[in-house]
């Protein structure tokens, strides 16, 4: 896919995401939480990288409340104060004070990160995905930079990467760029799409 069509795809899908009604968003949030709860591998995750939805991204707030009730540990991405596109994952509990970062996204005020190796899974937002686990994000390359060391998964401790999306964000095929880090699975309001039959 040429850069211009990647940009066009981003624009049109971001608009569709923003056009969802609050009712549709709430319905998707509930369905996504239910799929997560019923999936054996996801259920077992103890340390979970997660995100706070913005601009129509699939909303995980219900799932976060469920995970807190089940004593799971959630971590939010924060911008690194020096390295421009690096994300740090910082513990997120109901008591965590949040502040808006330079992109206007809320993140924990106290940036004491955990090592990525300690995360079992990372749930990440996306703009488009395909059935092969290719991900198109907002275009900042934040997740690609942050996860570059795990691109080839030689490291068995690597967290499983789970894209979260509305089902209309699926496209037939995305061409992965050399830096793109692929997903193990995609969670939508309709189903969980995995790249093999074993669950991830
Ligand atoms: N590991 C890397 N090495 C070199 N360049 C990278 C790397 N990761 C990302 N980039 C750069 O980041 C830019 C944006 O990447 P890309 O278009 O894949 O963003 P994205 O995955 O859609 O965004 P995001 O993850 O922030 O939602 C690319 O143009 C590329 O130059
Ligand atoms: Mg990318």
């Amino acid at each position: 896919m040429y850069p211009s069509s990647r940009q066009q795809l981003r624009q049109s899908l971001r608009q569709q995401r923003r056009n969802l009604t609050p009712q549709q968003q709430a319905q998707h949030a509930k369905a996504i939480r239910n799929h997560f709860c019923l999936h054996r591998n996801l259920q077992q995750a103890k340390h979970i990288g997660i995100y706070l939805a913005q601009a129509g991204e699939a909303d995980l707030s219900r799932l976060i409340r469920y995970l807190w009730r089940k004593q799971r540990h959630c971590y939010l991405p924060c911008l690194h104060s020096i390295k421009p596109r690096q994300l740090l994952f910082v513990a997120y509990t109901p008591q965590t004070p949040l502040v808006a970062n330079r992109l206007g996204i809320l993140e924990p005020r106290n940036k004491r990160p955990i090592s990525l190796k300690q995360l079992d899974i990372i749930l990440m937002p996306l703009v488009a995905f395909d059935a092969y686990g290719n991900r198109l994000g907002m275009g900042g390359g934040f997740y690609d930079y942050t996860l570059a060391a795990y691109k080839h998964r030689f490291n068995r401790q690597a967290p499983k990467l789970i894209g979260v999306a509305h089902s209309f964000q699926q496209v037939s095929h995305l061409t992965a760029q050399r830096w793109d880090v692929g997903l193990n699975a995609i969670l939508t309001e309709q189903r969980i799409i995995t790249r093999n039959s074993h669950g991830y």
Side-chain angles (χ1 to χ4, degrees):
M1 191 174 282
Y2 296 106
S4 59
S5 54
R6 283 166 81 86
Q7 278 310 61
Q8 281 163 10
L9 186 63
R10 280 193 178 103
Q11 241 174 30
S12 100
L13 285 171
R14 288 180 66 180
Q15 186 60 49
Q16 281 187 62
R17 273 195 328 203
R18 282 193 297 268
N19 288 347
L20 287 169
T21 64
Q23 289 77 10
Q24 287 168 317
Q25 278 288 2
Q27 197 188 345
H28 291 188
K30 217 184 252 183
I32 285 171
R33 182 205 53 194
N34 291 345
H35 289 309
F36 184 101
C37 299
L38 292 172
H39 192 276
R40 193 155 37 96
N41 291 354
L42 294 177
Q43 257 294 340
Q44 284 170 2
K46 300 231 167 3
H47 296 273
I48 301 166
I50 211 151
Y51 66 87
L52 298 176
Q54 46 148 5
E57 288 172 343
D59 175 9
L60 296 181
S61 50
R62 277 171 188 272
L63 177 62
I64 292 172
R65 287 197 294 275
Y66 165 85
L67 293 170
W68 282 340
R69 278 200 306 278
K70 295 284 174 189
Q71 319 294 322
R72 302 297 198 271
H73 303 278
C74 294
Y75 302 84
L76 284 179
C78 296
L79 298 177
H80 194 288
S81 46
I82 302 163
K83 298 182 188 166
R85 300 195 211 197
Q86 191 82 32
L87 299 173
L88 303 170
F89 283 85
V90 176
Y92 177 42
T93 73
Q95 286 76 43
T96 304
L98 300 174
V99 288
N101 65 24
R102 64 179 157 82
L103 301 177
I105 301 172
L106 290 176
E107 57 178 40
R109 192 169 61 201
N110 185 347
K111 292 193 189 183
R112 209 174 311 126
I114 62 148
S115 150
L116 281 183
K117 281 187 297 209
Q118 288 175 263
L119 293 175
D120 299 309
I121 59 175
I122 299 178
L123 300 176
M124 57 175 90
L126 53 81
V127 177
F129 69 95
D130 68 18
Y132 312 97
N134 293 311
R135 169 184 181 274
L136 184 73
M138 300 272 266
F142 287 92
Y143 283 96
D144 291 325
Y145 265 106
T146 305
L147 300 167
Y150 297 129
K151 183 165 165 50
H152 300 295
R153 314 289 158 79
F154 295 130
N155 186 337
R156 287 174 54 224
Q157 283 185 299
K160 296 285 184 268
L161 306 180
I162 318 290
V164 188
H166 307 287
S167 53
F168 67 73
Q169 292 173 254
Q170 180 164 6
V171 298
S172 57
H173 187 70
L174 287 170
T175 307
Q177 308 294 306
R178 120 188 107 69
W179 54 81
D180 279 330
V181 177
L183 301 167
N184 295 97
I186 302 100
L187 176 56
T188 75
E189 81 286 3
Q190 288 187 357
R191 62 198 179 107
I192 297 181
I193 298 151
T194 53
R195 291 162 70 192
N196 62 46
S197 54
H198 313 300
Y200 285 133

